[in-house]
Amino acid sequence: QVQLQESGPGLVQPSETLSLTCTVSGGSVISGSHFWSWIRQPPGKGLEWIGYIYHSGSTNYNPTFKSRVTISVDTSKNQFSLRVTSVTAADTAVYYCARTPVLPTGTWPPNYWGRGTLVTVSS
Amino acid sequence: QSVLTQPPSASGTPGQRVTISCSGSSSNIGSNTVNWYQQFPGTAPKVLIYNNDQRPLGVPDRFSGSKSGTSASLAISGVQSEDEADYYCAAWDASVNGVVFGGGTKLTVL
């Protein structure tokens, strides 16, 4: 059974950088059949896809975030990470990491999710 | 503004059949599979339906999914009080090469 676990600071100062790590167990980030994604959910609101990374290091990001987001992978630790720069209160959300299946017929929405971690942007 | 359109709320009395719709476009639902997620307060979304109409092990068979063209639906036949939760649809979108979600539907069991 694949498990994902987010970790990182729960409080970030405005204009600073948010950094989170997702540790994967029961599966491998070098799987050629999956993207590894970050998704967030502001309090009381819906889900928003942030971006994904493939084991090769190739990435794709939600245009909404423009150049503020970077996702990286550390295959030696079976982890992938998220950085969001220049954060504001609008970045306050529960951040989830998730596994996204890539099949010959197409890419599916995420099937395994971490429990999520609340990040609050406040001084 | 979510890419996929869901009604913000739905309701039913115990035992009733409830359906939740999800409307998209040719770049997402029209060309890719749909997942439905169930989310309780303070918890992560749980896959309820994958690949349009498939139920993971452990999901009660009162939950069913369907897709037609650029729309999808989640049906709960015989809704129960424990089904009171938020429900989200999702699909891969070729125009952004990423996953898009509906805005969520809050189900109330009266």
Side-chain angles (χ1 to χ4, degrees), chain B residues 36 52 92 97:
Chain B
W36 287 92
N52 305 322
W92 196 258
N97 195 23

Side-chain angles (χ1 to χ4, degrees), chain A residues 80-120:
Chain A
F80 61 106
S81 299
L82 171 71
R83 282 170 48 92
V84 182
T85 61
S86 304
V87 296
T88 68
D91 293 307
T92 294
V94 174
Y95 285 76
Y96 296 100
C97 58
R99 190 186 79 167
T100 303
V102 180
L103 284 75
T105 53
T107 306
W108 290 9
N111 57 356
Y112 284 96
W113 297 59
R115 291 186 176 184
T117 186
L118 174 63
V119 178
T120 302

Side-chain angles (χ1 to χ4, degrees), chain A residues 1-4 24-28 34 36 99 111-113:
Chain A
Q1 178 85 350
V2 175
Q3 293 188 326
L4 299 93
V24 179
S25 58
S28 174
H34 300 98
W36 301 93
R99 190 186 79 167
N111 57 356
Y112 284 96
W113 297 59

